[in-house]
Amino acid sequence: MSDSAASGSSPVTFPPGFFDRADERDDAVFYGPPRLVHHIDDAAIAAVTAYYREVGVTGDVLDLMSSWVSHLPARPRHLTVLGMNAAELDANPWADERVVHDLNADPRVPLPDACVDTAVCTVSVDYLTRPVAVFRDVARVLRPGGRFALTFSNRCFPSKAIRGWLATGDTGHGEIVASYFRASGAFEEPVIEKRRSRGDPVVGVSAARR
């Protein structure tokens, strides 16, 4: 599967097989059983929360590829959680709206234009097989100047992470996510930050919608 840059943006190319995965079965099979667990340790969770506080995750927030907990510094005015597992989303105590949707099957976010102030994605970007299309549509649902902030660590489900992600480390992961922003043609220049964590490493990447 491939992804490509937006017309008129700086050329960004991904090598053949970059978005392939070891397990190419329908994602609904893999994500069917609820996993009400934390996917990073407590120190990394604290680092993620601090990052979201600093970049300003407020107002009407979209939590992409979400689960039973959103690692935000405070409950926002309105929180929409989008993920693969209904039971996990139902267990999220801060969620005001829950959307079960597979972004690999359909990268379009099923929300109206310009309806959120901030979008976040926590430790899940490595599973996207059409990330540029997803980033482009996140820009569509963001209000002008709205920010998309992503965090990730070195943990993942290897069978479902894309091969390009598995082939590199923390620094390379930050550059991969930054390349998605650039290829979408919809955001200002992204900022990569390696966050302080006594446990699992944490990297954040964010950019504002043009």
Side-chain angles (χ1 to χ4, degrees):
M1 189 175 290
S2 64
D3 215 334
S4 59
S7 175
S9 65
S10 300
V12 178
T13 59
F14 303 98
F18 189 89
F19 297 107
D20 292 348
R21 301 171 298 171
D23 181 1
E24 292 287 9
R25 293 177 301 163
D26 186 342
D27 287 340
V29 176
F30 184 84
Y31 295 108
R35 295 178 174 89
L36 301 179
V37 299
H38 291 297
H39 297 286
I40 48 177
D41 63 24
D42 289 346
I45 290 172
V48 166
T49 301
Y51 175 74
Y52 288 150
R53 179 183 297 109
E54 290 176 26
V55 299
V57 178
T58 58
D60 299 325
V61 176
L62 169 62
D63 185 358
L64 286 174
M65 305 174 80
S66 187
S67 182
W68 65 287
V69 60
S70 296
H71 301 302
L72 306 180
R75 187 169 188 168
R77 178 172 59 213
H78 186 278
L79 177 63
T80 300
V81 293
L82 181 153
M84 289 283 295
N85 188 285
E88 292 177 9
L89 300 182
D90 286 344
N92 190 318
W94 282 5
D96 298 292
E97 182 178 354
R98 297 167 176 85
V99 180
V100 178
H101 183 72
D102 181 356
L103 289 170
N104 286 340
D106 178 2
R108 185 174 174 83
V109 179
L111 294 176
D113 295 354
C115 65
V116 297
D117 300 296
T118 317
V120 299
C121 180
T122 306
V123 297
S124 295
V125 66
D126 41 322
Y127 304 119
L128 286 174
T129 59
R130 289 191 277 175
V132 176
V134 171
F135 277 49
R136 199 174 296 139
D137 210 55
V138 170
R140 178 187 62 80
V141 304
L142 282 169
R143 294 179 178 127
R147 183 167 293 274
F148 186 19
L150 303 97
T151 52
F152 44 88
S153 186
N154 60 356
R155 294 197 196 186
C156 67
F157 298 119
S159 65
K160 282 297 184 182
I162 60 168
R163 294 191 187 279
W165 190 272
L166 297 176
T168 188
D170 295 339
T171 300
H173 293 158
E175 292 297 337
I176 288 170
V177 176
S179 74
Y180 297 162
F181 275 115
R182 296 182 187 117
S184 75
F187 291 89
E188 302 294 343
E189 179 62 16
V191 176
I192 305 170
E193 295 185 47
K194 188 170 183 180
R195 303 296 297 186
R196 227 174 185 182
S197 171
R198 293 180 179 274
D200 296 330
V202 172
V203 178
V205 185
S206 71
R209 177 197 153 179
R210 285 181 174 166

